Amino acid sequence: QVQFVESGGGPVQPGGSLRLSCAASGLTGRDYAIGWFRQAPGKEHEAVSCSSGFDDSPLYADSVKGRFTISRDNAKNTVYLQMNSLKPEDTANYYCAANLMRRRCVWPPLKYEYSYWGQGTQVTVSS
């Protein structure tokens, strides 16, 4: 059974940093892309970043470019999202999911191509 579990969220002040983790079980290797998404109350799901199964450069939403970094640790089957210089508008529930239809990221990600969504981890940026 494939499962993704996100962690690392919490309250943080503007300008602060958090590192989110997405631990995968039941799925190994690099034959798929991994995406981070977020959803704030009353707003649409938003794609944040994508890491390809190839050694391509990751892709990011314009709103997080230069502040967020996605990385994969294949030995641990874990994907990370390092978030720096956080802003109140980054407040959302953050999810990860796997794209088993593509190994290479496309932007914007096609949500329907992603599977095995985790429960998410809440990030709250507030002073």
Side-chain angles (χ1 to χ4, degrees):
Q1 181 180 355
V2 177
Q3 187 176 17
F4 283 77
V5 178
E6 302 93 341
S7 62
V12 63
Q13 293 188 339
S17 298
L18 283 175
R19 189 177 79 156
L20 306 184
S21 298
C22 169
S25 59
L27 193 63
T28 60
R30 293 178 60 93
D31 294 331
Y32 53 92
I34 286 281
W36 278 101
F37 301 80
R38 66 186 182 186
Q39 187 169 26
K43 294 190 176 181
E44 297 285 326
H45 237 234
E46 178 187 10
V48 176
S49 181
C50 181
S51 174
S52 290
F54 298 103
D55 291 328
D56 298 347
S57 296
L59 302 179
Y60 299 93
D62 287 342
S63 58
V64 306
K65 276 181 184 175
R67 301 187 298 121
F68 290 12
T69 303
I70 191 172
S71 60
R72 295 172 79 148
D73 185 333
N74 292 316
K76 296 182 178 180
N77 286 334
T78 300
V79 178
Y80 302 99
L81 185 68
Q82 177 67 42
M83 307 188 298
N84 299 327
S85 303
L86 283 161
K87 305 175 181 180
E89 51 264 42
D90 294 319
T91 295
N93 204 16
Y94 284 71
Y95 304 86
C96 61
N99 187 338
L100 301 183
M101 299 174 66
R102 295 179 190 270
R103 191 173 173 183
R104 174 166 281 125
C105 295
V106 297
W107 200 267
L110 303 174
K111 186 181 174 184
Y112 69 85
E113 293 187 344
Y114 284 78
S115 306
Y116 308 117
W117 295 84
Q119 293 297 309
T121 184
Q122 178 67 35
V123 172
T124 303
V125 185
S126 174
S127 55

